[in-house]
Amino acid sequence: MNGATLLLGLAAVLDVIANALLKKSDGFKRWVPGVLALVLVVAAFGLLGVALKSVSLTTAYATWGATGLALTALMSRRLDGTRLRPAAWLGLALMAASVFVLHSS
């Protein structure tokens, strides 16, 4: 695992936390979680930008997006009790496979 991969992972984690805070902001009615969400989104994009120095845009965005989506799905189960159906798990697996193919090509 190289530095760019770690940056992409951290960017995805920050993005997921920002999404959770955005939900907590209740449409920005609660300003503290809303502002924190915005700060984390900017930080996530900053890390993505740094990672783009050594990773192609396609691979970086696919990795960031897929990681963020998978983590959001898992976090949603924990926070909201949302359960994924088998088709959703299959979709996440296909997404992971596509990121692997992008990284290996």
Side-chain angles (χ1 to χ4, degrees):
M1 186 177 296
N2 62 25
T5 304
L6 290 173
L7 289 175
L8 287 172
L10 183 56
V13 168
L14 291 178
D15 191 46
V16 170
I17 295 168
N19 291 334
L21 286 168
L22 198 56
K23 182 170 175 70
K24 296 277 184 196
S25 78
D26 192 27
F28 285 97
K29 289 178 187 169
R30 297 178 58 219
W31 67 272
V32 172
V35 170
L36 287 173
L38 291 174
V39 168
L40 290 179
V41 166
V42 169
F45 270 94
L47 291 173
L48 178 62
V50 173
L52 286 173
K53 291 180 180 181
S54 58
V55 178
S56 74
L57 177 61
T58 303
T59 302
Y61 193 74
T63 302
W64 180 54
T67 303
L69 183 59
L71 290 174
T72 299
L74 295 173
M75 183 188 66
S76 181
R77 174 158 170 75
R78 190 95 160 120
L79 295 178
D80 297 332
T82 304
R83 302 191 116 220
L84 293 178
R85 296 179 184 190
W89 285 108
L90 176 62
L92 289 172
L94 289 171
M95 220 173 32
S98 68
V99 170
F100 175 77
V101 169
L102 278 171
H103 269 286
S104 61
S105 60

